[in-house]
């Protein structure tokens, strides 16, 4: 019998993975356990000789949530528990010796407690992870771990993952097969981690900007495969069809914005306080805003060379919404971040020309005061802004230069930007979701002890270069803000 099922795109992505370590990190109500039930029964049906493991952090979580929901899913596809009287057609039994008509050639345990036995001979071990040592000695081919955010790292890595060694599942030509390369997958199905070991295991920080650019949406989600790993991160919105109509609104109403971001959007990077841009909201200040050729372009430069040489590109629209006290809409439409060996001011300007070759509605440029200092990067120019003027001469006019002559106090710039985020200025602000570096700066740049930006320095493991990880695009944003809206900044 063929059963047609509707699953979300994030669920479909994890189902298709052929990687050994798989993370499905999603908001509450995203169908994590549902997809766990689908994955488990697929292995049961295709590879009855391969033993599996289904685990959760505690015994109550295992019995009252994980296994309950998995068995509810199985019931929905007519896979029910055997009972001699009520369901003699049942396909499995739990915590009991299988009946005589079940295939038991591959097993004959003294005690079947903590075991699901199927009619075709497949066995699934079940257990909690609060006493992980109880699983020593077991051997299985696949594992599903529910809500591992609460589990101990050592228990998972040293106990459970080391049990994944039974043969019986294979990959051939990118598909599950009965022959080919040995395949012993583990599936981590969890909401955002309270500890960082899952983030480290799946290298999430490496893809932080891309994750944050995609998860706050009902249309996009993060999916990435690398090495022996596959990661899917998605919001609750992708599973709306299976939830009450007001479910998400109630989550937002009953939690802080930060906690709601984790619960709904699956954000694995929970902020801990002390953010420099404390009033920034990824939900309110990021969207889709594209280039409009009818408006002037505003370009702000930050001339660091490591980790990249950058420019931020914006446009301003006068809207005159007097009822809501909104006069302007400030749109950040693009960002340029060029890494070594292309991290020169010349190449940043050339990249701008490549992206906006037909623009003829005017241009203004911004940047910090130090860009006027004598530069030895190019013997033909006195400083960075002479390079900008030469390279972008086809765009600029006599009034285009809005670079700073003296840099304002960092703390005053910080307070001004946060006032803008709090809707205390007649300016509506929005960043296009493609601006990964700027969004990351807004979310993760920390405040230092002096009230300025935290100058935490990191080292590139490959090149040995030391640099400030966050704050470069944010600096460019501030240079533009204090000049573009000078009357509010100094008012």
């Amino acid at each position: 019998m063929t059963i047609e099922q509707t699953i979300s795109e994030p669920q479909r992505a994890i189902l298709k993975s052929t990687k050994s370590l798989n993370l499905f990190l999603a908001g509450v109500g995203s169908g994590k356990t549902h997809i766990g039930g689908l994955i488990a029964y697929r292995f049961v049906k295709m590879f009855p000789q391969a033993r599996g493991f289904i685990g959760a952090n505690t015994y109550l979580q295992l019995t009252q949530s994980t296994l309950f929901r998995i068995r509810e899913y199985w019931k929905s596809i007519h896979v029910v528990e055997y009972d001699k009287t009520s369901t003699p057609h049942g396909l499995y039994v739990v915590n009991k010796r299988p009946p005589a008509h079940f295939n038991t050639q591959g097993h004959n345990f003294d005690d079947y407690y903590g075991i699901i036995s199927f009619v075709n001979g497949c066995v699934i071990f079940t257990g909690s992870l609060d006493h992980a040592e109880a699983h020593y000695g077991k051997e299985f081919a696949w594992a599903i771990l529910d809500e591992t955010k609460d589990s101990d790292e050592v228990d998972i890595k040293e106990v459970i993952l080391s049990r994944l060694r039974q043969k019986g599942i294979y990959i051939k030509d990118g598909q599950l097969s009965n022959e080919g390369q040995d395949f012993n997958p583990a599936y981590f199905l969890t909401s955002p981690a309270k500890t960082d070991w899952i983030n480290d295991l799946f290298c999430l920080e490496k893809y932080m900007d891309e994750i944050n650019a995609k998860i706050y949406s009902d249309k996009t989600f993060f999916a990435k495969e690398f090495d022996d790993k596959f990661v899917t991160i998605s919001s609750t919105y992708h599973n709306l069809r299976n939830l009450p109509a007001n479910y998400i609104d109630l989550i937002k109403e009953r939690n802080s914005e930060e906690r709601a971001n984790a619960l709904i959007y699956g954000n694995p990077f929970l902020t801990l306080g002390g953010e420099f841009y404390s009033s920034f909201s990824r939900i309110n200040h990021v969207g889709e805003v594209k280039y409009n050729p009818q408006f002037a372009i505003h370009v702000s430069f930050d001339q660091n060379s490591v980790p990249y040489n950058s420019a931020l590109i914006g446009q301003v629209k006068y809207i005159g919404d007097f009822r809501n006290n909104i006069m302007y809409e400030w749109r950040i439409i693009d960002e340029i971040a060029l890494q070594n060996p292309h991290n020169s001011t010349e190449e940043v300007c050339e990249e701008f020309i490549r992206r906006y070759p037909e623009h003829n509605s005017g241009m203004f440029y911004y940047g910090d005061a130090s860009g006027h200092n004598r530069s030895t990067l190019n013997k033909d120019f006195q400083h960075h802004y002479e390079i900008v003027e030469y390279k972008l001469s086809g765009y600029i006019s006599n009034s285009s230069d809005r670079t700073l002559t003296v840099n304002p106090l960092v703390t005053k710039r910080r307070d001004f930007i946060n006032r803008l985020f709090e809707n205390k200025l007649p300016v509506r602000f929005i960043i296009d979701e493609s601006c990964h570096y700027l969004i990351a700066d807004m979310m993760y740049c920390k405040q230092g002890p002096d009230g300025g930006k935290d100058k935490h320095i990191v080292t590139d493991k490959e090149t040995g270069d030391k640099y400030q990880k966050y704050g470069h695009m944010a600096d460019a944003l501030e240079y533009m803000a204090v000049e573009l809206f000078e009357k509010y900044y100094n008012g």
Side-chain angles (χ1 to χ4, degrees), residues 232-246:
T232 295
I233 305 176
S234 64
S235 73
T236 305
Y237 284 98
H238 291 278
N239 196 41
L240 273 182
R241 71 169 78 83
N242 296 314
L243 298 171
N246 62 341

Side-chain angles (χ1 to χ4, degrees), residues 140-152:
F140 36 83
W142 55 269
I144 291 173
L145 307 173
D146 192 31
E147 292 299 354
T148 37
K149 63 183 176 62
D150 300 316
S151 300
D152 184 86

Side-chain angles (χ1 to χ4, degrees), residues 317-335:
K317 178 182 179 181
Y318 176 78
I319 55 178
D321 183 357
F322 300 104
R323 176 178 297 180
N324 296 307
N325 194 32
I326 301 295
M327 298 294 290
Y328 304 97
E329 184 172 82
W330 182 22
R331 306 167 176 173
I332 303 301
I333 62 171
D334 201 358
E335 63 184 9

